[in-house]
Amino acid sequence: MNASSKKRVIILCTGNSCRSQMAEALWRKHGGETWEVVSAGTKPRDQVDPLAIKAMAEKGIDISAYRPKDAAQFSKQHFDLVVTVCDNAERECPAFAHADKHLHWPFDDPPKATGDDTAKLKTCCRVRDEIEKTIVAYLNESGSTSTAASARR
């Protein structure tokens, strides 16, 4: 499948350090080659949260090389779908005038979790699983999972 026939999604969060990074990786996993996926933040942090890296590693997905990106650099690009995964990004995100559809899926912010490292990782894994369920449900509904794409061939 060539790049021009892929659907494009951008996943937005404030810091682009945790939820949106996990969502990007999970969308790539479940959307397969039918989607071009990027994530970005309205106020990107310096690095991906170590909890997100650990939580994704538990699923066999390595995001250690991922880096936060600024949403503004993508604002003039066409996207089939814009997804915000936090309320701040929903309020602050730049207008994506070239987007076909906008969805808001608010999830808890794992870096704000309380407790020791084990409790914080547990929260991050819960949010990761919620994100994955939401993405899989959307992709199944729209018929654009990697499994659905393979079945149509």
Side-chain angles (χ1 to χ4, degrees):
M1 177 171 283
N2 65 35
S4 64
S5 61
K6 289 183 177 188
K7 292 181 183 179
R8 297 187 77 220
V9 60
I10 185 167
I11 303 157
L12 301 171
C13 200
T14 305
N16 190 221
S17 65
C18 192
R19 291 168 286 187
S20 53
Q21 295 285 352
M22 292 191 297
E24 176 182 350
L26 291 164
W27 202 296
R28 284 183 179 167
K29 174 185 175 186
H30 294 289
E33 62 184 51
T34 60
W35 286 89
E36 180 184 336
V37 186
V38 296
S39 66
T42 57
K43 296 175 185 164
R45 298 251 166 90
D46 293 331
Q47 64 183 19
V48 174
D49 191 294
L51 286 175
I53 294 170
K54 274 188 180 178
M56 295 305 291
E58 286 187 6
K59 295 284 259 181
I61 300 171
D62 181 8
I63 64 168
S64 62
Y66 283 27
R67 296 290 170 254
K69 298 165 288 301
D70 193 321
Q73 77 186 66
F74 299 103
S75 64
K76 292 186 177 17
Q77 295 182 26
H78 173 266
F79 287 94
D80 296 285
L81 180 61
V82 174
V83 177
T84 50
V85 293
C86 74
D87 289 331
N88 285 339
E90 176 69 6
R91 284 189 300 273
E92 300 171 2
C93 84
F96 280 82
H98 304 291
D100 296 340
K101 187 174 185 178
H102 181 127
L103 297 173
H104 178 53
W105 297 336
F107 296 102
D108 291 338
D109 190 2
K112 291 183 180 174
T114 57
D116 63 12
D117 287 347
T118 302
K120 289 178 181 181
L121 180 60
K122 185 176 180 180
T123 298
C124 194
C125 289
R126 175 185 55 79
V127 171
R128 174 206 62 206
D129 292 345
E130 290 170 3
I131 291 169
E132 185 169 33
K133 284 179 188 170
T134 304
I135 289 170
V136 167
Y138 174 81
L139 292 172
N140 283 336
E141 229 173 68
S142 66
S144 55
T145 61
S146 56
T147 307
S150 295
R152 287 193 300 262
R153 288 187 199 140

